[in-house]
Amino acid sequence: MAKRKIRLLVVDDSAIIRKLIPQSLAREPDIDVVGTAVDPYNARDLILELKPDILTLDIEMPRMDGLTFLKILMEKHPMPVIILSSLTQRGSMQAMEALRLGAVDVLAKPQGSFSLGETGEALGDRIRGAMAARLGRAGSPAGGVSLGHGRVLPPESARPRQWHPHQLCLLGASTGGTEAIRRVISQLPAHFPGICIVQHIPAFISNAFAERVNQDSAMEVREARDGDIPGPGLVLIAPGDYHMALSREGGHYRVNLKKGSKVWFQRPAVDVLFRSAASLVGAWGLGVLLTGMGRDGAEGLLQLQGAGARTIAQDEATSVVYGMPKAAADLGAADQILPINDIPAYMMRSFIDQLNP
């Protein structure tokens, strides 16, 4: 029996986009564009009539904006949603809000009039990845599943006044990772060992993502710059479309940003960061791999573990997509497999234990 095709509904007020997306996906044998809608009201009727599995959704539309529609949809009729967002500062902030409300992924709306460009090339794989996402009824992709009880961080008196300068956390994530990262970082104290993060994210929203996490964090969180020196109290997030690697100069680490070929179809790629760090951080390192589609980061986590670093993978129950963490677990690369709410406390305990072997 032939496998059932993925049924896609395109919701966009642009007639060009409503034409280009079906054309771009015509060569995808497992995806069927069952309809197009000009606005959320039209989309509401077509969802009931056509019963699509997934939507692509524009944010700026007449009669009802995409964010309002997304919120209603996640409450009343949750399904995977991929946002198409304009390449503007306002568009990037709206895209981040859409991810918070429950959208699974974000793609840049093409600037040209006659081609989807890289957006079209990525769309088929993004649709397949979004279909694997675990959706809840409360607007968050991980809503409706157990997030763990959350281990309490050690009291202030039990934390060291000074960390070792070589202690460093390397963290990677993909689908569902924006909210997972925010959840982890928001639970950490201000003077925590440095953290370097690779999240698969489009270039036009990576800075907005860093700003969003910074708002909820006691640590300073910002987009990484070439030559940055990671250290306590600082979280550096790889900018979209740049790999982030580490080198070591004297007594400190240094961030190196580079273009280079995509790894696991991604730039930035988690494996680039993890592999570059493994021989540098050794037993002072901590590797964390969160929710995401594919295998990126699994082999790098294994290298970190082999160099003496402690390693963590998010568990299946709290992952939006249990791909990258599962690949790491299958390799035996994770010392601990934990619910998302338990990860911050384990990170703290791991760094404390490094100071008291």
Side-chain angles (χ1 to χ4, degrees):
M1 180 181 295
K3 187 177 180 180
R4 179 179 175 275
K5 290 185 177 183
I6 299 170
R7 296 170 61 82
L8 172 71
L9 177 66
V10 177
V11 185
D12 203 300
D13 67 323
S14 166
I16 294 173
I17 297 296
R18 297 198 306 273
K19 178 181 179 181
L20 289 177
I21 288 181
Q23 287 180 348
S24 176
L25 294 173
R27 58 181 178 271
E28 304 289 347
D30 57 338
I31 300 173
D32 185 14
V33 180
V34 295
T36 62
V38 299
D39 61 36
Y41 292 97
N42 185 203
R44 176 195 60 190
D45 295 338
L46 289 178
I47 287 171
L48 296 175
E49 176 187 346
L50 301 174
K51 297 178 172 56
D53 301 308
I54 185 170
L55 307 182
T56 62
L57 178 64
D58 185 19
I59 293 180
E60 297 182 357
M61 290 183 291
R63 299 212 291 168
M64 180 188 294
D65 66 89
L67 291 178
T68 300
F69 177 63
L70 178 64
K71 184 176 181 180
I72 295 171
L73 186 69
M74 289 297 108
E75 292 174 349
K76 305 294 186 182
H77 193 93
M79 66 173 60
V81 174
I82 297 175
I83 295 293
L84 292 182
S85 176
S86 61
L87 299 176
T88 64
Q89 182 176 4
R90 172 177 165 81
S92 65
M93 297 306 295
Q94 290 175 323
M96 287 308 307
E97 179 63 11
L99 289 170
R100 188 189 71 80
L101 290 173
V104 175
D105 208 345
V106 173
L107 287 172
K109 203 164 190 179
Q111 300 298 290
S113 301
F114 304 104
S115 172
L116 291 178
E118 290 187 2
T119 297
E121 295 173 5
L123 189 54
D125 286 339
R126 296 298 184 89
I127 289 170
R128 296 182 191 96
M131 285 300 298
R134 299 164 58 88
L135 297 177
R137 293 174 292 181
S140 169
V145 298
S146 172
L147 297 179
H149 298 295
R151 300 177 185 173
V152 178
L153 294 177
E156 195 72 36
S157 59
R159 303 173 194 169
R161 295 183 179 180
Q162 185 172 353
W163 299 101
H164 193 283
H166 292 165
Q167 288 182 299
L168 188 66
C169 176
L170 299 313
L171 189 152
S174 184
T175 312
T178 54
E179 282 301 295
I181 288 170
R182 185 195 61 79
R183 189 184 296 269
V184 168
I185 302 301
S186 67
Q187 299 301 310
L188 300 175
H191 194 68
F192 188 80
I195 303 175
C196 292
I197 295 176
V198 167
Q199 161 72 42
H200 297 166
I201 198 167
F204 77 103
I205 63 170
S206 58
N207 189 58
F209 168 52
E211 291 178 354
R212 171 64 66 87
V213 179
N214 186 59
Q215 291 174 2
D216 295 333
S217 173
M219 301 178 73
E220 177 189 357
V221 183
R222 61 174 173 82
E223 200 173 50
R225 297 185 287 264
D226 192 52
D228 271 340
I229 297 175
L234 179 61
V235 179
L236 297 173
I237 297 177
D241 207 32
Y242 282 88
H243 290 307
M244 180 163 67
L246 290 180
S247 59
R248 189 159 164 179
E249 297 181 13
H252 58 256
Y253 308 111
R254 189 175 294 276
V255 167
N256 306 122
L257 300 180
K258 55 185 180 180
K259 284 281 188 174
S261 301
K262 292 184 177 181
V263 176
W264 299 112
F265 309 103
Q266 301 293 337
R267 188 173 56 232
V270 181
D271 266 337
V272 171
L273 174 64
F274 283 7
R275 288 170 174 170
S276 71
S279 63
L280 303 179
V281 300
W284 292 114
L286 173 65
V288 182
L289 193 58
L290 303 180
T291 173
M293 179 179 66
R295 297 186 53 84
D296 186 24
E299 294 177 4
L301 196 71
L302 185 64
Q303 288 191 20
L304 283 168
Q305 184 190 58
R310 294 195 178 192
T311 55
I312 305 169
Q314 188 175 349
D315 71 348
E316 181 176 8
T318 64
S319 292
V320 174
V321 177
Y322 191 54
M324 289 158 49
K326 181 181 186 300
D330 289 345
L331 288 175
D335 298 329
Q336 296 287 328
I337 299 173
L338 300 172
I340 189 68
N341 281 356
D342 287 353
I343 289 176
Y346 187 83
M347 291 168 63
M348 174 66 78
R349 178 53 58 192
S350 294
F351 279 133
I352 292 175
D353 288 348
Q354 288 174 353
L355 300 177
N356 302 286

